């Protein structure tokens, strides 16, 4: 007759269950994600993956909007410098009509005038963004702009920035913000109607008021400021174009940020671990594993003592 000894199946099963819960909680806490090997949660994982995809898409649109803002801000800063130059040019011309000035002193004014005029030429011809010239000119027969941002095309005289997924409304893609007619933004002095005063600046014998009137092709002093006022009007229209685009891009960026925040919050509720709950579960599972292991060890020890007693009894009887 054979002798067979087995442990408690229920006790061992409880240990395995508690150990599984312990490992599961530990994995969640170490990764910060609810999905584990023991609990794959395919539905929730699919929802989370879709939200993560949406967040990455929004990040692309956010970069596009920021690229667009960089473009409009670069244009605005250069237009501001050009506007300041025009203001100073008008100021110098107005000052030159002061009869209290000598011809020599008036000549000094036009030395500064010509320096500011050259600064205007330099700014207009060298202003660029991402390697592209910002402002056109009558001399530019093939003036083109590269559509900036991701997913935007190459076009002439316009910049298009995609800030959302394609959506057609009234035959227009409202997911794209465009700045059109950029080939009409011409800021060279000749385009603005501002004349050079190089002859006056180089005059050795000084400059009279009549010389000033002749240089600017006007009959009286009141007409001297007209060309500068017209230039300011053109610059203001250019700045309005870029200002409107900046406003649209800023609004789109705010919308994208709100959408990203809401999407990230929704994904967090699905994907992220509740640390307070999982720490509690981990502690509970750890206690169960330790208690069950201790009980199993104690039971095995008692079983061994009982077997020894039984064996001794058999030896005595034999």
């Amino acid at each position: 007759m054979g002798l067979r000894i087995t442990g408690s199946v229920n006790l061992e099963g409880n240990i395995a269950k508690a150990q599984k819960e312990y490992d599961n909680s530990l994995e969640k806490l170490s990764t910060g994600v609810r999905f584990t090997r023991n609990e794959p949660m395919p539905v929730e994982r699919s929802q989370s993956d879709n939200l993560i995809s949406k967040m990455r898409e929004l990040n692309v649109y956010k970069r596009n909007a920021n690229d667009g803002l960089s473009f409009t801000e670069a244009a605005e800063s250069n237009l501001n410098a050009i506007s300041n130059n025009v203001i100073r040019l008008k100021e110098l011309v107005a000052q030159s009509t002061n009869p209290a000035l000598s011809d020599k002193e008036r000549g000094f004014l036009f030395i500064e005038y010509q320096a500011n005029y050259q600064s205007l030429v330099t700014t207009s011809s060298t202003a660029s963004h991402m390697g592209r010239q910002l402002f056109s000119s009558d001399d530019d027969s093939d003036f083109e702009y590269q559509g900036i941002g991701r997913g935007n095309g190459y076009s002439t005289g316009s910049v298009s920035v995609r800030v959302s997924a394609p959506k057609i409304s009234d035959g227009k893609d409202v997911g794209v913000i465009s700045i059109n007619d950029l080939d009409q933004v011409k800021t060279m002095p000749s385009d603005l109607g501002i004349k050079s005063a190089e002859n006056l600046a180089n005059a050795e014998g000084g400059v009279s008021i009549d010389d000033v009137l002749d240089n600017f092709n006007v009959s009286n002093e009141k007409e001297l400021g007209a060309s500068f006022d017209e230039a300011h009007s053109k610059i203001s229209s250019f700045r309005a174009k870029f200002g409107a685009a900046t406003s649209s891009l800023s609004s789109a960026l705010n919308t994208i940020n709100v959408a990203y925040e809401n999407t990230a919050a929704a994904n967090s509720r699905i994907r992220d671990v509740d640390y307070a709950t999982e720490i509690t579960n981990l502690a509970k599972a750890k206690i169960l594993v330790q208690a069950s292991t201790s009980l199993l060890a104690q039971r095995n020890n008692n079983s061994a003592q009982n077997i020894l007693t039984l064996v001794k009894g058999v030896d005595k009887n034999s």
Side-chain angles (χ1 to χ4, degrees):
M1 175 178 167
L3 183 62
R4 180 178 166 193
I5 302 173
T6 61
S8 172
V9 176
N10 289 337
L11 188 56
E12 292 176 355
N14 289 337
I15 293 176
K17 181 180 178 181
Q19 185 63 48
K20 181 178 179 180
E21 292 177 354
Y22 177 82
D23 294 340
N24 194 45
S25 294
L26 192 61
E27 182 178 351
K28 289 181 179 180
L29 290 171
S30 63
T31 61
V33 178
R34 291 174 59 202
F35 319 133
T36 63
R37 288 169 295 178
N38 294 327
E39 294 183 7
M41 306 174 73
V43 175
E44 288 83 353
R45 184 184 290 273
S46 175
Q47 292 174 337
S48 177
D49 288 345
N50 287 335
L51 291 172
I52 290 175
S53 175
K54 181 63 176 178
M55 289 164 61
R56 291 184 178 179
E57 181 185 11
L58 290 171
N59 268 332
V60 171
Y61 298 144
K62 183 177 181 179
R63 289 195 295 270
N64 287 356
N66 281 322
D67 285 345
L69 285 172
S70 296
F71 174 82
T72 59
E73 288 170 359
E76 167 59 27
S77 63
N78 281 280
L79 285 173
N80 184 61
I82 290 171
S83 178
N84 290 335
N85 275 326
V86 172
I87 290 173
R88 182 56 182 163
L89 292 176
K90 182 180 180 181
E91 183 181 4
L92 290 170
V93 170
Q95 189 176 357
S96 71
T97 61
N98 183 2
L101 295 177
S102 67
D103 290 353
K104 194 70 173 178
E105 291 170 335
R106 191 173 289 107
F108 295 151
L109 291 177
F110 284 100
I111 292 175
E112 182 183 350
Y113 177 100
Q114 194 60 24
N116 278 275
Y117 181 92
Q118 291 300 325
S119 178
L120 177 58
V121 172
T122 301
T123 302
S124 299
S125 59
T126 61
S128 63
H129 175 73
M130 298 176 68
R132 304 296 299 182
Q133 186 178 343
L134 284 173
F135 306 131
S136 179
S137 170
D138 287 334
D139 297 330
D140 297 330
S141 57
D142 297 320
F143 186 75
E144 291 181 328
Y145 269 92
Q146 172 69 47
I148 59 176
R150 295 146 188 86
N152 302 303
Y154 192 89
S155 59
T156 301
S158 67
V159 166
S160 297
V161 182
R162 178 164 294 284
V163 294
S164 70
K167 183 178 181 181
I168 305 301
S169 177
D170 296 330
K172 180 181 178 182
D173 188 350
V174 296
V176 171
I177 295 176
S178 297
I179 312 173
N180 299 315
D181 300 325
L182 292 177
D183 51 349
Q184 301 302 315
V185 180
K186 301 175 180 180
T187 58
M188 292 293 285
S190 57
D191 300 317
L192 297 176
I194 297 176
K195 294 184 178 297
S196 172
E198 185 175 2
N199 292 334
L200 300 180
N202 295 329
E204 295 181 359
V207 177
S208 67
I209 294 179
D210 289 338
D211 292 334
V212 175
L213 297 178
D214 291 340
N215 183 81
F216 290 98
N217 295 325
V218 295
S219 58
N220 56 67
E221 298 174 8
K222 293 181 180 180
E223 297 176 0
L224 281 172
S227 61
F228 298 99
D229 292 338
E230 184 179 351
H232 259 299
S233 179
K234 290 180 180 179
I235 294 171
S236 295
S237 67
F238 300 153
R239 298 181 77 171
K241 181 189 295 290
F242 289 109
T246 299
S247 178
S248 297
L249 288 167
S250 296
S251 177
L253 187 59
N254 290 335
T255 301
I256 293 169
N257 286 334
V258 170
Y260 184 89
E261 182 180 347
N262 292 336
T263 305
N267 181 56
S268 178
R269 285 189 287 270
I270 295 172
R271 188 181 188 88
D272 293 346
V273 167
D274 184 342
Y275 273 85
T277 300
E278 285 307 321
I279 288 175
T280 302
N281 292 339
L282 181 69
K284 177 182 176 182
K286 184 176 182 180
I287 291 171
L288 288 175
V289 169
Q290 292 175 343
S292 298
T293 303
S294 177
L295 289 173
L296 182 60
Q298 184 178 354
R299 185 187 182 288
N300 289 339
N301 183 56
N302 291 338
S303 297
Q305 292 295 331
N306 292 336
I307 292 170
L308 289 175
T309 300
L310 179 61
V311 170
K312 288 179 181 180
V314 170
D315 290 341
K316 288 180 181 180
N317 291 335
S318 61

